[in-house]
């Protein structure tokens, strides 16, 4: 989702690729990089202590004439957990190509750094204006041994009534709770509310009725998680001169995944502004719940799972 700027910006995609990775000068295998998932894995690299990981970069930008000059490509490496930020200019290698590298200093990062690219230029006499950026960021994961995108939601089985999490005891009758207050959303499954349900959820195979229960319950949990994550993401947006800005963490993925179904027929920027405004003013927020639940149902495939469950039960009944 692109932001709206009060000046002309580049038309077309800005692409960024990590083409190599080296740690303290020693090049790592290319298997440490996943272009599909846009992840670089920096855990279990053969040494426990290292200082700097150097990411080799290649970028392409649209070739377009416009009211700008002094165009530059800036690679930006950040991590919200440590408030670390490093910005490096790339070198022009052709009409639309840029190359360079950026260093990840180990002492400044903890978990997962985000790598993005901004195209800046002087526009209408004002230097440093952003005229383009990457739509999808890369991630340098210090806790991953393989370059795979992390699961967006963690699931944990825990006893709400007598378990170690005291705050869950007030929800001891609930089969599950969605928590969006941490760095990663988490679903807590209550092992003491309906123990048989937990067994069914983690069982393999089973009767058609058991499979139907597993599928519909999983869809219900996923639906609740999408609703909670979307509302949490919208409520925590930062605003720049009245314009809501997308975050860099899981909240961005949730908003981008659901927004077109929450307010269909609108541009991404208009829909984001409208949803944020309704959430802040509380005017029209109740009416928006229909769109939020519809979008969550689409993401969790509730209709498909219910249809499959009904069909499987009908088939089973017909064989009796």
């Amino acid at each position: 989702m692109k932001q709206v700027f009060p000046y002309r910006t580049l038309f077309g995609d800005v692409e960024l690729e990590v083409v190599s990775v080296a740690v303290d000068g020693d090049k790592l295998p290319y298997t440490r990089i996943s272009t599909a998932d846009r992840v670089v894995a920096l855990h279990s690299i053969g040494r426990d202590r290292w200082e700097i990981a150097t990411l080799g970069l290649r970028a392409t930008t649209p070739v377009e004439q416009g009211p700008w000059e002094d165009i530059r490509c800036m690679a930006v490496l950040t991590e919200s957990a440590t408030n670390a930020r490093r910005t490096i200019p790339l070198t022009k290698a052709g009409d639309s190509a840029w190359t360079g590298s950026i260093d990840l200093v180990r002492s400044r990062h903890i978990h997962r750094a985000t790598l993005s690219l901004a195209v800046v230029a002087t526009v209408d006499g004002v230097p440093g204006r952003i005229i383009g950026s990457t739509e999808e960021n890369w991630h340098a994961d210090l806790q991953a041994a393989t370059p795979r995108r992390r699961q967006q939601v963690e699931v944990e089985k825990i006893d709400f009534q007598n378990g170690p999490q005291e705050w869950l005891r007030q929800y001891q009758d609930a089969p599950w709770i969605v928590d969006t207050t941490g760095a990663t959303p988490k679903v807590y499954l209550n092992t003491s509310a309906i123990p048989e349900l937990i067994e069914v959820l983690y069982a393999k195979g089973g009767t058609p009725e058991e499979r139907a229960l597993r599928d519909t319950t999983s869809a219900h949990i996923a639906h609740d998680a999408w609703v909670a994550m979307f509302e949490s993401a919208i409520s925590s947006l930062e605003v720049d001169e009245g314009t809501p800005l997308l975050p860099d963490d899981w909240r961005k993925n949730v908003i981008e995944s659901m927004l077109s179904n929450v307010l269909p027929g609108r541009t991404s920027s208009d829909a984001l502004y409208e949803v944020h405004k309704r959430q802040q003013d509380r005017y029209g927020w109740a009416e928006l719940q229909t769109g939020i639940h519809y979008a969550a149902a689409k993401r969790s495939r509730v209709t498909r799972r219910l249809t499959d469950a009904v069909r499987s039960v009908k088939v089973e009944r017909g064989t009796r």
Side-chain angles (χ1 to χ4, degrees):
M1 184 185 303
K2 294 184 178 180
Q3 300 176 30
V4 176
F5 296 93
Y7 51 84
R8 183 178 165 189
T9 58
L10 289 172
F11 179 80
D13 295 330
V14 175
E15 300 290 345
L16 174 65
E17 183 180 0
V18 177
V19 296
S20 65
V21 56
V23 171
D24 290 341
D26 295 330
K27 192 172 182 178
L28 297 184
Y30 189 74
T31 53
R32 286 281 171 173
I33 303 171
S34 172
T35 302
D37 288 335
R38 299 176 182 269
V39 175
V40 179
L42 294 174
H43 184 59
S44 298
I45 58 175
R47 63 181 70 177
D48 294 332
R49 296 182 180 180
W50 53 271
E51 295 182 1
I52 296 176
T54 302
L55 308 179
L57 309 177
R58 180 171 58 218
T60 57
T61 59
V63 179
E64 182 184 1
Q65 298 295 324
W68 41 66
E69 56 186 6
D70 192 25
I71 299 178
R72 299 183 183 183
C73 268
M74 310 296 295
V76 184
L77 189 68
T78 62
E79 184 173 357
S80 57
T82 60
N83 204 28
R85 183 180 182 89
R86 185 179 183 87
T87 303
I88 297 294
L90 301 187
T91 301
K92 195 170 180 60
D95 290 339
S96 62
W98 305 75
T99 60
S101 63
I102 192 167
D103 289 340
L104 183 152
V105 180
R106 181 67 180 88
S107 60
R108 299 178 184 175
H109 297 272
I110 298 177
H111 302 299
R112 190 173 171 90
T114 299
L115 175 65
S116 60
L117 186 76
V119 184
V120 300
T122 299
V123 182
D124 297 331
V126 181
R129 282 188 159 178
I130 297 176
I131 62 172
S133 61
T134 46
E135 282 287 292
E136 296 186 36
N137 297 328
W138 279 74
H139 298 280
D141 199 325
L142 282 74
Q143 298 182 343
T146 56
R148 296 177 182 174
R149 191 182 299 274
R150 285 190 177 181
Q151 184 181 7
Q152 195 166 37
V153 180
E154 296 181 7
V155 179
E156 180 179 341
K157 294 181 291 183
I158 189 171
D159 185 346
F160 285 18
Q161 185 173 359
N162 300 306
Q165 299 280 6
E166 293 187 5
W167 68 272
L168 287 173
R169 292 173 187 171
Q170 59 186 315
Y171 309 114
Q172 58 184 279
D173 295 330
W176 61 80
I177 286 292
V178 181
D179 179 22
T180 61
T181 59
T184 302
K186 179 175 287 189
V187 174
Y188 291 98
L189 300 178
N190 189 359
T191 59
S192 59
I194 314 176
E196 297 81 4
L197 179 62
I198 303 298
E199 295 178 6
V200 171
L201 284 174
Y202 283 85
K204 295 183 179 180
T207 66
E209 288 85 355
E210 289 174 337
R211 293 196 297 270
L213 175 61
R214 179 164 58 245
D215 288 344
T216 53
T217 303
S218 297
H220 192 174
I221 294 173
H223 178 274
D224 287 356
W226 278 106
V227 170
M229 289 189 298
F230 183 82
E231 294 184 346
S232 174
I234 292 298
S235 66
S236 59
L237 288 177
E238 295 184 359
V239 179
D240 182 15
E241 296 183 354
T243 301
L245 305 177
L246 284 174
D248 290 329
D249 57 6
W250 60 266
R251 294 171 177 84
K252 177 182 179 181
N253 296 331
V254 169
I255 293 173
E256 290 182 330
S257 297
M258 293 182 61
L259 198 57
S260 61
N261 289 312
V262 174
L263 283 176
R266 303 199 185 195
T267 65
S268 298
S269 56
D270 287 346
L272 180 63
Y273 178 83
E274 180 65 21
V275 171
H276 175 69
K277 185 175 185 301
R278 292 195 192 188
Q279 195 277 334
Q280 292 293 308
D281 298 343
R282 310 309 297 183
Y283 178 77
W285 181 251
E287 291 80 357
L288 200 64
Q289 292 299 306
T290 300
I292 294 175
H293 283 269
Y294 170 71
K298 292 272 289 184
R299 298 303 304 173
S300 54
R301 300 180 181 179
V302 169
T303 301
R304 179 179 177 180
R305 294 189 183 187
L306 285 175
T307 301
D308 292 343
V310 171
R311 287 175 178 171
S312 65
V313 171
K314 282 186 175 180
V315 170
E316 179 66 15
R317 286 180 177 176
T319 60
R320 293 178 181 174

